[in-house]
Amino acid sequence: MSRIYNFSAGPAVLPEEVLKTAADEMLDFKDSGMSVMEMSHRGKEFKEIIETAEADLRELMNIPDNYKVLFLQGGASLQFAMIPLNLMIQNKKADYIHTGQWTKKAISEAKKYGTVNVIATSEADNYTYIPEPDPASFSKDADYFYIASNNTIYGTRYTDIPDTGDVPLVADMSSNILSEPVDVKKFGVIFAGAQKNIGPAGLTIVIIRDDLIGKAPDNTPSMLNYATHANAGSMYNTPPCYAIYIAGLVFKWIKGKGGMETIKKNNIEKAQILYDYIDSSALFKSPVKKKDRSLMNVPFVCGDKELDAKFIEEASKLGLKSLKGHRTVGGMRASIYNAMPLSGVKTLVAFMQEFEKNNT
Amino acid sequence: MSRIYNFSAGPAVLPEEVLKTAADEMLDFKDSGMSVMEMSHRGKEFKEIIETAEADLRELMNIPDNYKVLFLQGGASLQFAMIPLNLMIQNKKADYIHTGQWTKKAISEAKKYGTVNVIATSEADNYTYIPEPDPASFSKDADYFYIASNNTIYGTRYTDIPDTGDVPLVADMSSNILSEPVDVKKFGVIFAGAQKNIGPAGLTIVIIRDDLIGKAPDNTPSMLNYATHANAGSMYNTPPCYAIYIAGLVFKWIKGKGGMETIKKNNIEKAQILYDYIDSSALFKSPVKKKDRSLMNVPFVCGDKELDAKFIEEASKLGLKSLKGHRTVGGMRASIYNAMPLSGVKTLVAFMQEFEKNNT
């Protein structure tokens, strides 16, 4: 089969150029006579891979010098525990904005270690918008303030980042990291599972301000203590080397495209084409409040389960894959991460138009 | 450069056939139109990958039905914490045999959660042998008994597995899993980082007896609770999909070779050639007690730092790479995992003979 248009929510489409490089270098990375999978993480070849990946990410995201970049394992799910274990220390309380299944898991995990104030949620409306609580309601003595900047399942994203003052802001950016520029200085911690916009599953990126490292109590598992990894340059133990290599290729690819401003422009263009058609359609609807719509995950429904199933089946035959929506939302979802080409979105919209014509 | 002979201790050499398959399938896995890195972990393609990998591993290791096979992240270093967090429950104590740097880390981690009895160690002799303590010294009320079945740095391995009776035996098999048949029934838990005999770094295999799952207290981080992963078939969150795929290819490769008995025969042959030469040499010596010598990691020293450096440099020029010994042992170390071909060992020994002739 030729390459499909893969609208999977994650793991997700990667740039074809990156995969071609990975295939070419699989048996012999840059005349080393080894695959990247085979090389010692302490050797000079891998040292250059991880250092270049970090430098490129720092450049792309304009990460200030007083932040560490950590290459970890365990996904966002492990961060749900690491955040409170490392940060819920002083007053043992934190504020959370609850915007879906992933913040629910993060809240549940944090409650093991202290008091969680859910200061706002869109749960009653099936998370179709981002709540905007009055900053007066924020806990002044919270150890941190937690958000998920993009909600993969519901297709929402923060367009205004809450101003939490001196309380460190923690963001799960798993599904929108590197999709548009962010002002890292506004955050205490940014974390992201790699498997959407960065690379293969099994790598977790953590960007953490120096003063938030080193607070975890002594009985914290070493591997769950940010200080362990920060002090060892992410090499306390063997890191997920191959995933870091692919992430590095993706960072180079983004730089080659022109960096974050170009990526943002491309992402807005792709999302706009899809949202514009959905908003003009008599068949398809977006469940999401306009202001809060994600650039990465676009759910759409036609309100008829049989028609949904028919759409997904016919789309699949045309090579438009993984369009089934999450069971809690229903309908369809097109995840259009950085690596989804414009042609994929145009092909999808052309099919939606055709489908609408044939089914109304 | 053509492929080298890679004697790295880990990450380490992988079968060339596996890498070729991975390269071939990189842009299009079995007509799916996707790379394995790009596919949803919930999709039918990946479901088949992970289920086949588990089935093949169960067949190769003859794993009884009352054991779960888990595909996790975090390496042995995370298991050092997960073992006590999940098992050091009833009497909050465990017996450890201390045989090197990795058991030291495991002991240090376990001490956070209970009482560790180090019932034997070869530390005074720089871990050059496996201690054989009198079973009468084993704690009858230990929650578990812990060993590292092969010690990568020192080149030692257990040839007799301690009989711990009703106390569950836990083994870190990171550097010798799948190198020879083991009787899984003797163990409560076997774990291994993948990056030596299984596949890329970033995947950890845990084989755990059912009755040892579900003991962890409620405040255990969900990701560190074996029950979380056992109940979800290793799919509680996105697993390290690509590493699991490569591991599956390695399992198929071992099956294609004839399974564990053939692998053991091959490994004994390779190790024997190397040890026989070392024992006959006037220049090189093995620091390890004969009975306890590893089939996977073969340290050898010539007792002269300049000569060591010269050996490593000249070997490297011939494509015999990563032969430098660990700093705590000095000299050289040849790691000859399953994927190291016989020709690699023969080429190494031929060079050692030549080097000895030219330098004595």
Side-chain angles (χ1 to χ4, degrees):
Chain A
M1 189 179 213
S2 59
R3 297 264 301 162
I4 58 164
Y5 289 122
N6 175 8
F7 295 96
S8 172
V13 58
L14 289 171
E16 198 168 311
E17 299 92 317
V18 165
L19 297 173
K20 281 182 177 158
T21 302
D24 287 347
E25 296 180 339
M26 181 62 82
L27 278 94
D28 183 9
F29 173 78
K30 295 190 192 305
D31 277 336
S32 66
M34 294 178 279
S35 173
V36 173
M37 285 185 219
E38 301 177 297
M39 38 177 83
S40 168
H41 58 298
R42 309 276 178 202
K44 69 177 187 326
E45 291 90 354
F46 186 72
K47 190 164 182 286
E48 191 179 327
I49 288 171
I50 192 169
E51 287 177 356
T52 305
E54 179 177 339
D56 284 340
L57 183 63
R58 283 186 176 276
E59 184 183 330
L60 283 169
M61 292 185 70
N62 196 20
I63 299 172
D65 288 344
N66 63 325
Y67 285 72
K68 293 282 183 296
V69 173
L70 306 178
F71 295 96
L72 305 184
Q73 300 182 52
S77 294
L78 189 56
Q79 293 307 309
F80 297 163
M82 285 179 73
I83 293 292
L85 281 168
N86 284 270
L87 270 57
M88 204 183 248
I89 304 295
Q90 181 100 38
N91 298 317
K92 296 207 171 295
K93 57 192 284 189
D95 286 351
Y96 278 66
I97 299 186
H98 173 36
T99 51
Q101 180 179 303
W102 297 104
T103 52
K104 187 177 178 184
K105 287 196 173 186
I107 289 165
S108 159
E109 205 69 17
K111 280 182 175 169
K112 295 177 181 175
Y113 311 106
T115 304
V116 172
N117 300 311
V118 177
I119 59 159
T121 179
S122 46
E123 185 174 11
D125 295 292
N126 200 30
Y127 311 111
T128 48
Y129 67 94
I130 298 292
E132 294 181 71
D134 183 347
S137 68
F138 298 179
S139 308
K140 294 280 177 293
D141 59 346
D143 289 324
Y144 61 90
F145 188 109
Y146 184 102
I147 62 169
S149 60
N150 186 84
N151 295 277
T152 324
I153 295 174
Y154 315 94
T156 60
R157 95 182 200 277
Y158 283 76
T159 48
D160 296 318
I161 298 297
D163 181 355
T164 58
D166 290 337
V167 174
L169 180 60
V170 174
D172 176 356
M173 287 197 186
S174 293
S175 52
N176 73 333
I177 192 168
L178 290 172
S179 66
E180 56 181 328
V182 293
D183 185 355
V184 174
K185 287 193 308 295
K186 288 185 176 172
F187 299 86
V189 185
I190 291 169
F191 67 84
Q195 66 269 19
K196 292 155 197 288
N197 253 343
I198 294 175
L203 169 63
T204 314
I205 306 262
V206 175
I207 301 163
I208 180 168
R209 212 173 59 209
D210 286 338
D211 62 290
L212 300 174
I213 300 170
K215 296 170 178 285
D218 288 343
N219 68 345
T220 307
S222 300
M223 286 288 289
L224 269 56
N225 189 332
Y226 290 126
T228 302
H229 302 287
N231 294 339
S234 301
M235 296 277 249
Y236 172 73
N237 69 334
T238 318
C241 303
Y242 196 75
I244 292 169
Y245 157 69
I246 298 290
L249 294 178
V250 170
F251 300 155
K252 286 275 185 236
W253 176 82
I254 294 176
K255 286 177 72 177
K257 288 276 173 190
M260 290 316 307
E261 288 297 340
T262 314
I263 288 285
K264 179 185 182 180
K265 189 173 90 37
N266 294 349
N267 284 331
I268 288 175
E269 182 183 5
K270 287 187 291 178
Q272 202 64 52
I273 289 173
L274 195 45
Y275 286 122
D276 280 352
Y277 171 64
I278 291 167
D279 288 339
S280 75
S281 163
L283 179 61
F284 301 107
K285 283 180 184 47
S286 161
V288 180
K289 184 178 168 188
K290 277 196 181 181
K291 174 179 185 296
D292 301 330
R293 286 176 176 176
S294 171
L295 296 176
M296 297 286 100
N297 312 98
V298 183
F300 53 96
V301 296
C302 62
D304 175 328
K305 280 189 181 179
E306 277 180 38
L307 219 47
D308 287 345
K310 188 179 175 192
F311 179 90
I312 291 158
E313 192 191 335
E314 290 185 11
S316 179
K317 283 181 188 156
L318 297 173
L320 300 160
K321 299 275 187 180
S322 293
L323 280 164
K324 192 173 179 191
H326 192 272
R327 60 185 160 68
T328 58
V329 177
M332 282 66 71
R333 173 180 49 178
S335 292
I336 50 173
Y337 296 113
N338 289 349
M340 172 59 64
L342 180 61
S343 61
V345 175
K346 286 185 171 171
T347 306
L348 171 62
V349 168
F351 170 67
M352 289 169 76
Q353 290 171 323
E354 180 76 12
F355 186 87
E356 179 169 359
K357 201 173 68 184
N358 294 339
N359 291 279
T360 44
Chain B
M1 189 178 212
S2 59
R3 297 265 302 163
I4 59 164
Y5 289 121
N6 176 8
F7 294 96
S8 172
V13 58
L14 289 170
E16 198 166 312
E17 299 91 318
V18 165
L19 297 173
K20 281 183 176 156
T21 303
D24 286 347
E25 295 181 340
M26 182 60 84
L27 278 93
D28 182 10
F29 173 77
K30 296 192 193 302
D31 278 335
S32 66
M34 293 179 280
S35 173
V36 173
M37 284 185 221
E38 300 177 297
M39 41 179 78
S40 169
H41 58 300
R42 309 278 178 201
K44 69 178 188 322
E45 292 90 354
F46 186 72
K47 191 163 182 284
E48 192 180 326
I49 288 172
I50 192 169
E51 287 176 356
T52 305
E54 179 176 339
D56 285 340
L57 183 63
R58 284 186 175 277
E59 185 184 329
L60 283 169
M61 292 186 67
N62 195 19
I63 299 172
D65 287 344
N66 63 325
Y67 286 72
K68 292 281 183 298
V69 173
L70 308 177
F71 295 97
L72 306 183
Q73 300 182 53
S77 296
L78 189 56
Q79 293 307 309
F80 297 163
M82 285 179 72
I83 292 292
L85 281 169
N86 284 270
L87 270 58
M88 203 183 248
I89 303 295
Q90 182 98 39
N91 298 317
K92 296 206 170 297
K93 58 192 282 190
D95 286 352
Y96 278 65
I97 300 187
H98 173 36
T99 51
Q101 180 179 305
W102 297 104
T103 53
K104 186 176 178 183
K105 286 196 175 187
I107 289 165
S108 159
E109 204 70 15
K111 280 184 176 169
K112 294 177 182 175
Y113 311 107
T115 304
V116 172
N117 300 311
V118 177
I119 57 160
T121 179
S122 47
E123 185 174 9
D125 295 292
N126 201 29
Y127 311 111
T128 48
Y129 68 95
I130 299 291
E132 294 182 70
D134 183 346
S137 68
F138 298 178
S139 309
K140 294 280 177 290
D141 59 346
D143 289 324
Y144 62 91
F145 188 109
Y146 184 102
I147 63 169
S149 60
N150 186 85
N151 295 277
T152 324
I153 295 174
Y154 315 93
T156 60
R157 93 184 202 276
Y158 283 77
T159 49
D160 296 318
I161 298 297
D163 181 355
T164 58
D166 290 338
V167 174
L169 180 60
V170 175
D172 176 355
M173 287 197 187
S174 293
S175 52
N176 74 334
I177 192 167
L178 290 172
S179 67
E180 56 182 329
V182 293
D183 185 356
V184 174
K185 287 192 306 296
K186 289 185 176 172
F187 299 87
V189 185
I190 291 169
F191 67 84
Q195 66 270 20
K196 292 154 197 292
N197 253 342
I198 293 175
L203 169 64
T204 314
I205 305 264
V206 174
I207 300 164
I208 180 167
R209 212 172 60 210
D210 286 338
D211 62 290
L212 300 174
I213 299 170
K215 296 171 178 285
D218 289 343
N219 68 346
T220 307
S222 300
M223 286 288 288
L224 268 56
N225 189 332
Y226 290 125
T228 301
H229 302 288
N231 293 340
S234 300
M235 296 278 248
Y236 171 73
N237 69 333
T238 317
C241 303
Y242 196 74
I244 293 169
Y245 157 71
I246 298 289
L249 293 177
V250 170
F251 300 154
K252 287 275 184 236
W253 176 83
I254 295 177
K255 287 177 71 177
K257 289 275 173 191
M260 289 317 306
E261 288 297 340
T262 314
I263 288 285
K264 179 184 182 181
K265 190 173 90 36
N266 294 349
N267 284 332
I268 288 176
E269 183 184 5
K270 287 187 291 177
Q272 203 63 52
I273 290 172
L274 196 44
Y275 285 122
D276 281 352
Y277 171 64
I278 291 168
D279 288 338
S280 76
S281 163
L283 178 62
F284 300 106
K285 283 181 184 47
S286 162
V288 180
K289 184 180 169 187
K290 276 197 180 177
K291 176 179 184 295
D292 301 330
R293 286 177 177 173
S294 171
L295 296 176
M296 297 285 100
N297 312 98
V298 183
F300 52 97
V301 296
C302 61
D304 175 328
K305 280 189 179 178
E306 277 180 38
L307 219 47
D308 288 345
K310 188 179 175 194
F311 179 91
I312 291 158
E313 191 190 334
E314 289 185 11
S316 178
K317 283 182 188 155
L318 296 171
L320 301 161
K321 299 274 187 181
S322 292
L323 280 164
K324 191 172 180 193
H326 192 271
R327 61 186 160 67
T328 59
V329 176
M332 282 67 69
R333 173 179 50 178
S335 291
I336 51 173
Y337 296 113
N338 289 349
M340 172 58 64
L342 180 60
S343 62
V345 176
K346 286 184 171 171
T347 307
L348 172 61
V349 169
F351 171 67
M352 289 168 76
Q353 289 170 324
E354 179 77 12
F355 187 86
E356 179 168 1
K357 201 173 69 185
N358 294 339
N359 291 280
T360 44

